[in-house]
Amino acid sequence: MDRSRFPVDPWRLIETSTSLEDPGLTETLFSVANGYLGMRGNPEEGRPAFAHGTFVNGFHETWPIKHAENAFGFAKTGQTIVNAPDAKVMKIYVDDEPLTFGTADLEAYERTLDFRDGILRRSLIWRTPSGKRVKIDSTRMVSMTQRHLAVLTLEVTMLSGSAPIVISSQLLNRQDGRDDLHHSNPSAAQGSDPRKAAAFEERVLLPQMSYANDERMLLGYQAARSGMTIAVAADHHLSTSDEVETLVRADEDRTKMVFRVDATEGTRLRLDKIVGYHTSRGVPVRELSDRCDRTLDRAKRMGVPRLMDEQRQWWDEFWASADVEVEGTGPHLRAMQQAIRFNLFSVAQASARSDGIGVPAKGVTGSGYEGHYFWDTEIYVVPFLTYTQPALARNVLHFRSMMLPAARERASELAVSGALFPWRTINGEEASAYYAAGSAQVHIDADVVYAMTKYVAATGDLGFLIREGIDVLVETSRMWADLGFWRQPAGGGEESFHIHGVTGPDEYTTVVNNNLFTNVMARYNLEQAVASVRLIKQIAPAEYTQIVGRLHLTDDEVTEWERCAASMQIPYDEGLGIHPQDDLFLEREVWDLPNTPPELRPLLLHYHPLVIYRFQVLKQADVVLALFLQGDRFTLDAKRADFEYYDPITTGDSTLSAVVQSIIAAEVGYHEVALNYFLDALYVDLANLHGNTIDGMHIASTGGVWSALVFGFGGMRDFGDQLSFDPRLPVEWDALSYKVRWRGNRLAVRVTEEQLEIVLEDVAEGASGEVELTVRGVRHVVTADASLKVALPHHGPRTSGHLGGIPMVGGVRSDGSQITAAVPEPSYGPMEPLTGEVPLPDYDPNPS
């Protein structure tokens, strides 16, 4: 990062000058959001901009997926998040000259995003073409306490000279109406990048209602295919001692409130713009208009100062449970602290007010990945929420339970019992058109169960398990029991349970048999279902009777799940001493990543999938992720052997990978590797390491940063409903401090090279005020009156240096053949048409 432009500050992201070279990146980084509503960091003046964006979580359009060759069960309906009407626009004219970045003469400029209150502030001094100096200050806030509300302010002061000032405040339908210059969204549907959102050729938002008067202005629409509705309304309050003339205008795609002020030197003009957004899957726009009225009327009674005070209070409470601090004297630790808080801040902005809907892969900061929900939420976001903001975790998990009916339908389409959650979706229907790397990732069922059961264990919320979670556990277990099959060894012996034709987390290896991650997680899913059913039967017999009746559950089913879990096939290669990613993974040749030119990365944008599938090469951690999530089922030696084998063939093309590799690297002793991977994850967006932050934040990675800190370096685990600690502090750090909520108790944990200290600093109503835990296998109890201090003679095994990125070749397969490495010939890029003649290879009809 250019620190002359983005100086280090532990609590703020600061920009000291503008640039026309990276507007897409800064628009994403300076977004404000609350999980429901998100506004990209576009300038108030509307331009210059890379991709104007205002997004409402779940507000989407649908479109028919057209397969070149169709087949039964293929996804039928695509879903894409819609660019909601833009309320950010407040154009400024002085002496009839517009303020336009890139051409304006700016004497001073600073933009800050404050993590302590979630407010975007901008301050500048503009020397107009006529030589007058104007000070302009603005703020932008999406409320964390008023879910549907955004607050924008603008202050203009003539520092030298008097001049006529015009402010044009607008609501603008950019999805269809675009802007005054007819610029559409350049980030949509570029080339063949599957990470970008689709572009619509037809009108999406059908006008239903629009008006503007001296009190309020509104736009209302219905999406053409999905039928979803949206209404956006805005109030204004202008304060100045100068003379003001107000004009209002409205059409179906834009409403304006124009303020003309004869501004005098030294007089400050202030405009407050309060905006309400409401959406629905079927309620008419007229009803949404009424909801906007209620939202804005309440905000008017409260006033902007109170709304901002509430915002600061919300963030104060958030940081009291979520902050992570790194101490040390290294030159980069202050920057690291800033980046840590930026990532945690971004998780909150993506999830805090999702309120019963999912968390999109990009949050509400961009249109990347179509605004879809993936397994990212359960594995990377929910753990952070579970251990810091459990009420928010419950909201996200409630959303999954509400998707269960659609998941049952999807399971039926794939000819299995129970329920199968969609790989990617907004409305609950599968939206993955490429089933091999999408629908085949049935491990999502186990991922959902993992998040739910970890939440129940950490909070003790048995009510959630009984009312909602148990239905998901039962139906997903039915899916696993039906999907898998029993196999008897030819020479006799015990039967084993196998799962074939699936794809694991690594999307560079698809439709395989006995993917280790899938089998390990399915085993956990089945075990948790058995334990939960029996627990409810014991502690809540009346509710158990209702569950049996509602789900038609039988004792024989539960016994069968137990048997499936106990006999689950877990691949292991005795010769190499590692867990193969799947039955045939080791049969492939190794992709020689060190000799792959950088311009051919990421692989998914330069090689046909079938080319990639023929090699041992990983897009993201697969076996290594299993080692983390199910760490109590693998020995430390096994984890180290697996990590050493898979790390050199993992490309990191997915932002989901670095945090997991960091966690396991720390555990097995590669402490320098662990820190490097952590830094890769930490700066994914701030440094735009994957080149696509323009499409929105990588929310899974931001949540994973917390996991790398707390699970990786902090050494926290919770296997078997038991909280445990075994820290792995980096050599460069003096201390690491973080907070953990466990069954209503908030623990403050501080790790140094010599000591682990745990203090019980807050006890929720009804909590025990006592936490039992282990430190490296030794039992301890922490209470409000008795904190814990444990000496740390070591931080686990430590191996200096790096793996070097060289694949482990030369090993012998079970058939006696030797593993070798190669780089396939690059394919022609998607944007590079063939020119001239391409020579054909020699053909031998009788190869020896």
Side-chain angles (χ1 to χ4, degrees), residues 6-25:
F6 300 102
V8 173
D9 184 287
W11 283 104
R12 296 182 301 164
L13 180 64
I14 303 172
E15 181 187 45
T16 60
S17 64
T18 62
S19 173
L20 298 181
E21 295 182 359
D22 60 359
L25 173 62

Side-chain angles (χ1 to χ4, degrees), residues 18-312:
T18 62
S19 173
L20 298 181
E21 295 182 359
D22 60 359
L25 173 62
T26 55
E27 286 166 10
T28 294
L29 297 181
F30 286 93
S31 295
V32 289
N34 64 5
Y36 171 74
L37 171 65
M39 294 179 165
R40 286 174 62 82
N42 308 115
E44 285 84 346
E45 298 73 29
R47 61 181 186 269
F50 173 80
H52 289 285
T54 301
F55 300 101
V56 177
N57 190 353
F59 182 64
H60 69 281
E61 179 63 308
T62 56
W63 42 276
I65 298 176
K66 298 178 181 179
H67 300 276
E69 296 184 22
N70 211 341
F72 180 81
F74 278 16
K76 304 178 184 67
T77 305
Q79 305 142 44
T80 299
I81 195 168
V82 171
N83 198 349
D86 186 1
K88 301 187 298 293
V89 181
M90 293 188 287
K91 297 183 178 181
I92 302 170
Y93 302 83
V94 177
D95 280 332
D96 294 331
E97 299 292 341
L99 172 60
T100 305
F101 290 103
T103 60
D105 181 1
L106 300 181
E107 292 186 359
Y109 174 90
E110 183 178 84
R111 179 166 59 162
T112 65
L113 180 57
D114 198 319
F115 313 145
R116 293 164 296 188
D117 58 16
I119 298 176
L120 178 65
R121 296 174 173 87
R122 192 190 70 180
S123 181
L124 60 88
I125 296 177
W126 172 33
R127 182 179 289 276
T128 70
S130 62
K132 297 173 182 177
R133 298 171 65 247
V134 187
K135 188 174 190 297
I136 302 173
D137 298 299
S138 64
T139 69
R140 185 181 300 167
M141 179 186 89
V142 173
S143 175
M144 307 301 282
T145 58
Q146 310 284 332
R147 182 183 187 227
H148 301 275
L149 196 69
V151 179
L152 303 91
T153 72
L154 183 65
E155 293 184 355
V156 183
T157 305
M158 294 299 302
L159 297 180
S160 62
S162 300
I165 293 177
V166 175
I167 299 175
S168 176
S169 177
Q170 304 181 17
L171 299 178
L172 177 61
N173 172 18
R174 293 191 184 277
Q175 178 67 50
D176 301 293
R178 303 181 180 180
D179 63 16
D180 293 340
L181 301 180
H182 304 290
H183 288 162
S184 58
N185 183 356
S187 70
Q190 290 183 345
S192 61
D193 191 337
R195 301 168 297 185
K196 294 182 178 292
F200 292 99
E201 296 180 358
E202 301 174 352
R203 187 176 179 101
V204 174
L205 299 179
L206 306 180
Q208 301 290 301
M209 186 178 182
S210 64
Y211 69 80
N213 55 47
D214 292 340
E215 295 292 326
R216 187 164 292 167
M217 58 187 187
L218 175 141
L219 291 176
Y221 301 92
Q222 183 173 39
R225 290 182 178 271
S226 72
M228 292 196 71
T229 50
I230 187 169
V232 184
D235 281 354
H236 296 81
H237 179 259
L238 183 74
S239 59
T240 179
S241 58
D242 293 325
E243 184 177 346
V244 181
E245 179 186 9
T246 303
L247 296 84
V248 295
R249 297 174 183 171
D251 59 43
E252 63 183 20
D253 282 324
R254 176 164 54 185
T255 61
K256 287 185 180 181
M257 190 165 288
V258 181
F259 302 93
R260 299 175 177 174
V261 182
D262 292 325
T264 56
E265 183 176 343
T267 302
R268 186 186 69 172
L269 175 159
R270 177 183 171 99
L271 176 64
D272 293 339
K273 182 177 184 179
I274 317 298
V275 187
Y277 281 81
H278 282 270
T279 59
S280 172
R281 291 188 180 274
V283 171
V285 168
R286 175 65 65 181
E287 166 63 20
L288 297 185
S289 173
D290 293 342
R291 296 180 186 179
C292 287
D293 287 342
R294 292 193 290 271
T295 297
L296 295 180
D297 290 346
R298 181 173 60 254
K300 185 177 182 180
R301 291 193 300 270
M302 295 177 66
V304 172
R306 182 179 168 188
L307 290 170
M308 290 189 169
D309 287 345
E310 283 190 353
Q311 180 88 342
R312 179 59 184 252

